[in-house]
Amino acid sequence: MSKVYRFMRGARCNAWTARFAATSTWASFATAAVDEAASHRPSTSGQEVLVSSKELSAASVGAYYSLDRALLQEASRPYAGAFYSPREPGHERRGGCKALQEEMAATGRNAVMYRPVMHTLFSAVGANSQANTNHQRLMLTGPAGAGKSIALLSLVEWARQQGWIVMYVPSCAALVQGGYFARRGSSRRWDTLTSAQQLLKGVLDAHGAQLKQIPVLSLEVQQQPAEGQTVAQDAAEVASCNPSVSPGALTAAHQDSPGRTLHDLVAGGLVGDDNAEMAVDSVLELVRQLVAASSPNGGNKNSIPVLFALDDYNYLYGTADYGWYSPNDDPRKARRRPIHTDDLVLASGLRLLDAPHLGLTTVVAANTTALSLPAPVVPELRMPHMELVVPGFTEAETRNALAHYHATGFASCLATSRQARQLHALTQGNARELRINASTLGLQLS
């Protein structure tokens, strides 16, 4: 059982937590009063000019800011279905970040609220990178509709604005269902071609120029104990669950091939559509290379900030939606045998919160409570990690969102403080229900 540190429970888990705790405006914002006298004063949302993530500060908390959609192509619905067979209009495959898609469909704006929990998250990740300290594992938890996906997506956009290399998985559900999959040789493990190529394309489109500057390194394994473990004790077990990262520390010996870069590695995994093993191995090798590149001894003069962001993380544990039939079974009595995620090479390889050594990279994952597959709500994580609870909207945030809906034309009138209180009580801070149920207060959504 791993040790979990919770940001919102008052305990100073370590010095790293203390560095950003003082910068959070959560305490003051959560208790912000909503008075009737100011009930019709527009919020900062919906203005013609919104700040970008580069301009965010503690003073921006509560305001809406614009996202650069060019940095978030993986979040779009068309991008999510790029490697799947086309469907008829109106029946396109769902994928990407559904929370952002729904918000954009309602308001027509690439804008989200800069919440206190997001300020805490950005400050924590940024401080850890500037300190050049050891890797960081962070799990986002919270009730359904609280805004975990938006917080994670916003972190991805912020990090890419800062020059980070980010591997972003909008939903790990895509790694365990849908698309082409094939058995790896004569083993009991399986490769998922579609999801692997989708990941590679996302990284290539977002960071193609950066990848051309990073050489592919020949990596050696230096056996070192993981946190709280000995190599002999758990190395084999960890390796079997996390083939993407060695149980030992990765050190760069020399450049793999003169002139070969990470761009070549990624592009190689996208060549052809019939080699699932090559595509999956390219993703896992990219993870290893980014781990090495994040450290100063990884063949680079300066460490490269790297973020792995995985939404719906608990889909990587439990039973997948794939199944197979044994060729030796009688066709009349054949029974579909479900495949466990332990046997999916890519899905099990991206359980990065359980990877023992990650260089100076940062891993941020978010769990979902709306599972369409039988999977544990909270996976049993063995490695120490931090936990950040994403709370539902406060009354003040509900009012801000309603003002934003009015300013963008989604709501025909501005909610009063009384209506905001009623809707906050009705939705219990669920952002999705806030959009759906606003009409019950007579706001007459357009």
Side-chain angles (χ1 to χ4, degrees), residues 119-139:
H119 181 65
T120 300
L121 177 62
F122 293 9
S123 300
V125 172
N128 188 73
S129 174
Q130 293 173 4
N132 209 31
T133 57
N134 200 10
H135 62 263
Q136 169 184 337
R137 301 182 187 87
L138 176 61
M139 173 67 82

Side-chain angles (χ1 to χ4, degrees), residues 25-358:
T25 57
W26 168 252
S28 59
F29 190 84
T31 58
V34 182
D35 59 284
E36 289 290 343
S39 62
H40 291 278
R41 183 176 60 200
S43 72
T44 55
S45 63
Q47 296 178 356
E48 290 298 323
V49 180
L50 299 178
V51 300
S52 69
S53 59
K54 289 184 177 180
E55 305 169 273
L56 293 174
S57 65
S60 307
V61 171
Y64 275 76
Y65 73 97
S66 60
L67 297 170
D68 186 348
R69 287 297 305 283
L71 301 178
L72 296 170
Q73 295 187 56
E74 303 100 315
S76 69
R77 189 170 178 177
Y79 199 92
F83 286 91
Y84 295 88
S85 300
R87 294 181 175 179
E88 296 180 359
H91 298 277
E92 295 86 356
R93 179 177 295 276
R94 295 297 301 270
C97 180
K98 297 177 184 178
L100 180 65
Q101 294 167 16
E102 292 172 357
E103 186 72 16
M104 286 183 53
T107 65
R109 298 285 184 91
N110 299 324
V112 295
M113 188 192 304
Y114 189 49
R115 303 180 62 200
V117 67
M118 291 162 61
H119 181 65
T120 300
L121 177 62
F122 293 9
S123 300
V125 172
N128 188 73
S129 174
Q130 293 173 4
N132 209 31
T133 57
N134 200 10
H135 62 263
Q136 169 184 337
R137 301 182 187 87
L138 176 61
M139 173 67 82
L140 302 182
T141 62
K148 300 183 292 295
S149 294
I150 291 293
L152 184 65
L153 171 134
S154 301
L155 176 66
V156 170
E157 194 265 355
W158 172 85
R160 285 176 172 170
Q161 288 276 20
Q162 309 296 321
W164 289 50
I165 294 180
V166 183
M167 179 180 286
Y168 174 43
V169 184
S171 176
C172 289
L175 305 180
V176 300
Q177 61 183 9
Y180 177 78
F181 67 104
R183 187 191 294 273
R184 173 167 289 215
S186 59
S187 70
R188 292 294 298 271
R189 309 206 75 202
W190 301 80
D191 291 309
T192 46
L193 172 68
T194 310
S195 54
Q197 289 191 327
Q198 208 163 31
L199 267 176
L200 293 172
K201 179 172 171 56
V203 175
L204 190 65
D205 288 349
H207 304 288
Q210 291 170 280
L211 297 179
K212 290 180 178 179
Q213 307 302 317
I214 306 175
V216 174
L217 302 172
S218 177
L219 303 176
E220 292 181 346
V221 177
Q222 177 184 354
Q223 293 295 333
Q224 292 181 0
E227 292 91 331
Q229 300 175 344
T230 64
V231 173
Q233 177 184 1
D234 281 334
E237 181 183 1
V238 173
S240 65
C241 296
N242 297 278
S244 64
V245 181
S246 166
L250 293 176
T251 59
H254 52 77
Q255 187 167 347
D256 181 71
S257 299
R260 187 165 182 251
T261 66
L262 292 190
H263 186 280
D264 301 320
L265 171 65
V266 174
L270 291 169
V271 175
D273 58 359
D274 58 354
N275 194 331
E277 182 174 343
M278 182 178 68
V280 169
D281 285 346
S282 295
V283 175
L284 301 184
E285 179 61 22
L286 176 62
V287 172
R288 283 191 288 263
Q289 292 289 333
L290 290 177
V291 168
S294 70
S295 303
N297 63 354
N300 301 285
K301 294 182 180 179
N302 300 312
S303 61
I304 300 173
V306 175
L307 170 67
F308 298 105
L310 304 99
D311 204 357
D312 300 339
Y313 186 75
N314 40 338
Y315 270 108
L316 299 181
Y317 298 78
T319 304
D321 198 35
Y322 300 117
W324 64 285
Y325 295 91
S326 172
N328 299 322
D329 289 346
D330 185 339
R332 297 169 299 178
K333 302 179 180 178
R335 182 174 58 88
R336 182 178 182 270
R337 305 181 184 186
I339 298 175
H340 197 276
T341 52
D342 288 348
D343 297 324
L344 296 179
V345 179
L346 181 60
S348 60
L350 289 179
R351 295 172 179 173
L352 297 181
L353 286 180
D354 271 333
H357 291 281
L358 291 168

